[in-house]
Amino acid sequence: MARDEKKCIAVKERTAREEVSNVQKINPDADPPDISVVAANTTVKATAALIRCSARGMPNNTYKYGKWIQTWNNVQVSEKPGKEKLELKSLTYEHSGVYTCSASNGIKVFGTNKEFMEGSVMLVVKSFPVITHVSEKTSAKLKDNATLEIYYYSNVAGSEVKLYRNVNGTRQEGVIYSVSETRAEVNLPVFTQIIRTGGTRAKILIQVQSQDDLGSYDLVVANEIDSSSRSFEIVPKGPPGQPYNVTVDNIQYNTAHLSWIRGYHGGLAQTFVIQLSTDLNMWRNITVYGGLNESLEPVSEVLSNLHDSTTYFVHMYAFNNEGSSPFTEILNYTTTSKTGKEENFEIDVAITSSVVGGVVAAVLGVVIIVIIARRILIKKAYIKVVQCMDKIFAIYGVPKLPEIVRQVSDLM
């Protein structure tokens, strides 16, 4: 940028500041703006929503606007460019929340540097219920009840939970069930955030009177806006399913990393048993408690105390009080050999131990000399011995003699 051009810009900025200052001097009524934000609640069926940032101050002709900030439960979830009007399109429940705008007319709050004033409004975009969690399977014995829990969020009062049998993709009524609901905290996805907010926990008891009551179901949660649904399955209560996607990686000379994905627990707490062998005859068991967790995230265990350069075979199964799952396929892997670095480390430890032992022996020897010197030397000679010991200790990196040893000369 040319020197004259920079000078021109600097003059313009100074002139603008002087104009604002002159306004305050000429018009003592000059004030920063009051901000009011205007919005009307709407629904996800609307095409758009408009929010307006209304500023009123003195002077009241030109305003600069800061960014629009949207928050959920005091957590910022979006940010939009600063302007007087904000238009929201493709509405979802996520567009609900507190919207804050800011504006300035160049006048600062008296006695401060604050220039942009803020205002906020709460916008509600009414939506169909959002199901945040439900199990894909639940188990039951015949002549008993299956239990299913569902968590959902709805910003419209009066939601209703319904169940249907799913027969070849067709919903059929006639399911015998009961629903009890309580307020609960749910993990609600809001754009890129997960917001902990108020929701509903529904516990559903489903009668399983015969084999025909097992199988696929559709769960529907509806309110005045619309509905959302999830599918689940009722299976017989029994042994757990077989673990799957079993893999071995990060193989070292004495450890390896085993991971797998849980099969369905069968309605009872399950435990995983990992079996490890070098000859397919003798097996070492490692147990990992799985409980009633239904997560499809991998489970992992570090296999330790292995021998280097050795081939191992591994397989696993799961069990609960009703029985055991089938074994997984046998995998094999070979541990690495010890590297020179690892061997050198062990040698270094041994050498270090020897050196330390030597230093300790030297210290004990010197202490004996001190005792002898105490008995046969005069005070001056004793002091020289102590000074000599300090030098020896410095060579070995050992702290100086304790003060009590130094004070012996005072008793001579």
Side-chain angles (χ1 to χ4, degrees):
M1 183 181 295
R3 188 173 181 180
D4 291 342
E5 187 178 350
K6 289 183 177 178
K7 184 176 180 180
C8 182
I9 292 175
V11 170
K12 287 182 178 179
E13 291 178 348
R14 186 175 68 250
T15 302
R17 290 194 298 267
E18 289 173 351
E19 287 176 355
V20 171
S21 177
N22 289 335
V23 167
Q24 290 175 305
K25 291 177 181 178
I26 296 172
N27 185 357
D29 295 328
D31 278 316
D34 291 325
I35 308 297
S36 60
V37 189
V38 181
N41 292 338
T42 184
T43 76
V44 294
K45 295 182 178 181
T47 56
L50 186 65
I51 309 176
R52 185 169 181 269
C53 186
S54 178
R56 291 290 182 271
M58 179 65 70
N60 192 36
N61 48 4
T62 302
Y63 291 99
K64 292 187 295 183
Y65 293 91
K67 293 179 179 179
W68 285 92
I69 303 297
Q70 178 197 3
T71 59
W72 265 74
N73 291 356
N74 297 318
V75 177
Q76 180 175 328
V77 295
S78 75
E79 182 179 287
K80 301 290 192 302
K83 51 186 176 180
E84 181 182 1
K85 296 179 181 179
L86 175 64
E87 185 177 20
L88 306 174
K89 297 182 178 180
S90 302
L91 297 176
T92 72
Y93 70 91
E94 296 166 300
H95 289 102
S96 298
V98 175
Y99 286 82
T100 300
C101 73
S102 60
S104 168
N105 61 356
I107 305 300
K108 297 179 180 179
V109 176
F110 181 76
T112 74
N113 288 322
K114 184 175 181 180
E115 181 178 334
F116 281 84
M117 309 303 292
E118 295 182 346
S120 300
V121 69
M122 177 72 182
L123 174 69
V124 177
V125 180
K126 295 181 179 180
S127 168
F128 50 82
V130 180
I131 299 173
T132 59
H133 175 76
V134 63
S135 298
E136 294 183 353
K137 287 183 180 180
T138 186
S139 61
K141 292 185 176 181
L142 298 183
K143 308 298 182 182
D144 202 352
N145 289 330
T147 302
L148 183 73
E149 283 191 347
I150 172 179
Y151 290 81
Y152 68 89
Y153 168 82
S154 177
N155 56 11
V156 178
S159 299
E160 184 179 13
V161 177
K162 291 185 178 182
L163 284 186
Y164 301 91
R165 284 297 311 274
N166 187 320
V167 181
N168 298 323
T170 302
R171 289 177 179 174
Q172 296 183 355
E173 297 184 345
V175 182
I176 303 175
Y177 65 96
S178 63
V179 180
S180 59
E181 293 187 337
T182 56
R183 297 296 295 170
E185 292 288 302
V186 299
N187 294 319
L188 183 67
V190 180
F191 300 124
T192 60
Q193 304 271 6
I194 298 296
I195 303 298
R196 191 77 172 162
T197 190
T200 301
R201 170 183 173 269
K203 183 176 182 180
I204 308 168
L205 298 179
I206 310 160
Q207 289 189 16
V208 181
Q209 298 176 328
S210 68
Q211 197 77 18
D212 293 337
D213 292 325
L214 301 175
S216 298
Y217 286 78
D218 283 348
L219 168 73
V220 179
V221 185
N223 60 22
E224 65 181 55
I225 303 300
D226 208 335
S227 64
S228 57
S229 64
R230 292 281 186 89
S231 296
F232 70 96
E233 185 180 4
I234 299 180
V235 298
K237 183 172 287 187
Q242 183 186 57
Y244 60 98
N245 285 4
V246 182
T247 58
V248 181
D249 57 19
N250 196 21
I251 301 168
Q252 307 295 325
Y253 77 95
N254 61 350
T255 62
H257 181 266
L258 181 73
S259 64
W260 67 94
I261 295 179
R262 358 173 129 72
Y264 180 63
H265 49 61
L268 300 164
Q270 67 176 332
T271 299
F272 303 104
V273 180
I274 303 166
Q275 292 196 327
L276 203 61
S277 175
T278 57
D279 58 7
L280 296 176
N281 290 316
M282 300 293 292
W283 296 89
R284 170 161 66 106
N285 287 348
I286 303 170
T287 59
V288 179
Y289 182 71
L292 294 171
N293 195 326
E294 297 178 9
S295 170
L296 296 180
E297 292 296 317
V299 187
S300 63
E301 179 73 9
V302 175
L303 308 177
S304 58
N305 299 321
L306 307 180
H307 299 294
D308 63 296
S309 304
T310 304
T311 297
Y312 284 88
F313 302 92
V314 62
H315 63 173
M316 65 184 300
Y317 68 95
F319 72 89
N320 62 19
N321 288 341
E322 290 287 329
S324 302
S325 75
F327 274 98
T328 62
E329 178 184 356
I330 294 178
L331 302 177
N332 67 79
Y333 63 93
T334 302
T335 54
T336 61
S337 61
K338 285 188 179 181
T339 65
K341 182 178 179 181
E342 290 152 352
E343 292 172 351
N344 288 339
F345 175 76
E346 294 177 356
I347 293 172
D348 288 344
V349 171
I351 292 174
T352 302
S353 299
S354 299
V355 170
V356 172
V359 172
V360 172
V363 171
L364 292 176
V366 173
V367 171
I368 293 173
I369 294 173
V370 171
I371 296 173
I372 295 173
R374 166 67 181 85
R375 293 181 177 180
I376 66 176
L377 298 178
I378 61 175
K379 181 176 181 179
K380 186 174 182 180
Y382 181 80
I383 293 173
K384 288 184 177 180
V385 170
V386 171
Q387 291 173 344
C388 180
M389 289 168 54
D390 283 341
K391 292 180 180 180
I392 295 174
F393 280 25
I395 293 173
Y396 285 95
V398 178
K400 291 184 178 181
L401 285 171
E403 192 61 29
I404 189 172
V405 177
R406 299 175 182 280
Q407 293 174 357
V408 171
S409 61
D410 296 335
L411 304 176
M412 292 181 177

